[in-house]
Amino acid sequence: MTVDSAVSGAADAVGAAQSPARGRITARIDGLRCGACVRGVERALTAIDGVESASANLATGVVSVDRGRDGPCAAYLRAAVQDAGYDLPTETTTL
């Protein structure tokens, strides 16, 4: 999959609903291995309407997304990252 097709697929993610949301979402991301990976994730996320900026950090494996007034919900962002070939793992705690 090319970055262009991942961006296109991310922007058109099927079934991902938009919800009125604003603010920053920060999450761990799996699969970042190089600068090109970082740029691909950032590009996929910033292609989404309502995303003001996206920043992925290769060293920490963290992505931050700033959403505007009508920004996308977290599920939509997760779908975009997955379409680009990466994963935002779900943290779980076992008691």
Side-chain angles (χ1 to χ4, degrees):
M1 173 182 294
T2 67
V3 171
D4 288 334
S5 66
V7 168
S8 177
D12 298 329
V14 176
Q18 294 256 15
S19 68
R22 185 180 190 108
R24 175 173 281 208
I25 292 179
T26 302
R28 191 168 62 88
I29 186 169
D30 287 343
L32 293 180
R33 307 234 188 287
C34 64
C37 297
V38 168
R39 286 186 300 279
V41 167
E42 291 172 347
R43 189 171 172 200
L45 290 167
T46 57
I48 300 170
D49 287 338
V51 171
E52 294 178 347
S53 67
S55 173
N57 186 307
L58 179 61
T60 62
V62 171
V63 64
S64 297
V65 178
D66 291 315
R67 299 174 296 166
R69 190 172 67 119
D70 293 322
C73 65
Y76 193 88
L77 298 173
R78 178 182 300 278
V81 169
Q82 290 173 336
D83 285 349
Y86 304 94
D87 191 31
L88 296 175
T90 303
E91 301 292 328
T92 59
T93 303
T94 304
L95 300 175

